[in-house]
Amino acid sequence: MIRVGIIGSENSHAMAFSKIFNLSGKYEDMRVVAVYGEERAASEAIQRECGVELVCDHLEEMIGRIDALMVTSRDGKLHFPYAKPFLEAGLPAFIDKPVTRDPLQALELVRLAEKRGARLTGGSSVKLVPDTMKLKAAADEQKRLGKLVGGHVWAPVSMQNAYGNFWFYASHLAETALTIFGYHPFAVTAQHTDRGIAAVLDYGAYAVHLTFGDENYNYGATVLGRQVTTSAINIGAGYDIEAENFVRIVRGEEPHQNAHDFIEAVCVMDAVLKAAQSGKAERIVNLA
């Protein structure tokens, strides 16, 4: 039996993953055996509903008792310190969005994982769902034809919350845009609006508009080229896809995505915030 620990029980994602591994019957060789969170009551709710053996009061209680880790804490600033001791032990890990709130911490996290042979997966689930994959295929085809003009991606943001404000939800849009239109944009411009942040990713050959809509819970994108493809993005399959990707790395398969992409997503979000504050174009420095 592969023993899974979850850190961040206060997030609804923790309950969702615990149900998948402990109640669905889909993964008979994996089980969530320990949970920890900032709110003990949330951990106890998962324990009652999903039959988790151990509610931890300290992270250290999990060490030696789990074989794989999921970090689902709402606040990205906690992800690095929570994940670090387990990555140092070489455990495979899923780290939820945002992977971190600091590009240098994201870089250190990935370097540590590489040094210890700890496979990583995670980030936003929105980049993985079928609608996003169809939009990526449309953008890839327009690139192949040399006809990609640009596009637009929209997703919700929360500008005021207890979990890093912009950082709490921004990964969904940033990672989805990078998945559809490609990694390595070189600059971004942005401005605050009454309902979030509007930004433009500059790829040189084309540009992509980003609408971070404050508490506007719609996801979608448009690909502009010889053909125009517009689609809402249904995020419903996200948990199942994330769980499957996690299972694969735990079983020894290579991650579906290069961990260095996690670093670039954090760099893009950091540049968006800086551009919105400065009113100037900000270079996107990919630390990876």
Side-chain angles (χ1 to χ4, degrees):
M1 179 66 67
I2 298 169
R3 304 166 299 171
V4 178
I6 295 182
I7 298 172
S9 59
E10 68 282 354
N11 193 334
S12 61
H13 298 192
M15 178 69 83
F17 289 128
S18 296
K19 287 180 177 179
I20 289 172
F21 290 118
N22 289 17
L23 302 179
S24 72
K26 187 174 181 180
Y27 303 106
E28 296 292 347
D29 62 335
M30 294 184 65
R31 184 172 182 82
V32 177
V33 300
V35 292
Y36 167 83
E38 300 296 311
E39 303 168 9
R40 184 177 174 88
S43 297
E44 291 173 345
I46 294 173
Q47 183 181 45
R48 287 193 303 272
E49 189 161 346
C50 302
V52 174
E53 298 166 13
L54 178 65
V55 170
C56 300
D57 291 311
H58 305 283
L59 293 180
E60 292 75 16
E61 295 176 58
M62 283 194 195
I63 295 175
R65 294 181 173 181
I66 64 172
D67 307 302
L69 176 71
M70 304 189 87
V71 178
T72 61
S73 302
R74 289 187 177 123
D75 194 338
K77 78 176 181 181
L78 300 174
H79 291 179
F80 178 76
Y82 282 172
K84 184 177 180 179
F86 300 92
L87 295 178
E88 287 179 334
L91 269 62
F94 166 90
I95 302 177
D96 215 334
K97 60 82 186 167
V99 173
T100 69
R101 282 166 46 185
D102 182 321
L104 290 175
Q105 280 194 342
L107 176 64
E108 187 177 349
L109 183 153
V110 169
R111 285 180 173 173
L112 176 60
E114 291 175 341
K115 180 179 179 180
R116 299 297 185 182
R119 293 178 295 278
L120 286 176
T121 188
S124 169
S125 64
V126 181
K127 68 176 182 285
L128 304 170
V129 298
D131 287 333
T132 299
M133 292 297 99
K134 291 175 184 176
L135 287 156
K136 172 178 166 49
D140 287 348
E141 175 62 9
Q142 294 306 304
K143 286 182 192 176
R144 187 187 68 80
L145 296 171
K147 299 297 182 180
L148 183 62
V149 174
H152 183 198
V153 187
W154 56 93
V157 74
S158 173
M159 297 302 292
Q160 293 186 345
N161 56 72
Y163 313 110
N165 299 326
F166 172 80
W167 287 96
F168 182 36
Y169 259 83
S171 279
H172 288 318
L173 197 158
E175 293 186 56
T176 299
L178 292 169
T179 297
I180 294 170
F181 292 99
Y183 283 76
H184 313 311
F186 66 84
V188 64
T189 55
Q191 66 182 61
H192 286 281
T193 71
D194 289 344
R195 298 295 298 166
I197 290 179
V200 178
L201 280 182
D202 188 347
Y203 286 85
Y206 56 91
V208 177
H209 294 249
L210 311 178
T211 300
F212 296 88
D214 196 3
E215 297 184 357
N216 184 353
Y217 294 98
N218 296 292
Y219 300 81
T222 296
V223 176
L224 296 172
R226 176 180 291 174
Q227 294 182 332
V228 177
T229 303
T230 298
S231 176
I233 296 175
N234 185 330
I235 66 173
Y239 289 134
D240 289 328
I241 298 171
E242 285 184 318
E244 181 63 26
N245 285 338
F246 178 59
V247 168
R248 287 174 179 165
I249 68 162
V250 170
R251 291 176 177 168
E253 296 183 28
E254 289 301 311
H256 76 284
Q257 184 178 21
N258 189 317
H260 287 270
D261 291 347
F262 298 154
I263 303 171
E264 184 164 0
V266 177
C267 292
V268 167
M269 287 182 279
D270 185 62
V272 168
L273 265 185
K274 288 178 178 175
Q277 291 164 357
S278 70
K280 301 177 182 178
E282 294 286 338
R283 299 284 297 181
I284 298 171
V285 179
N286 182 6
L287 300 178

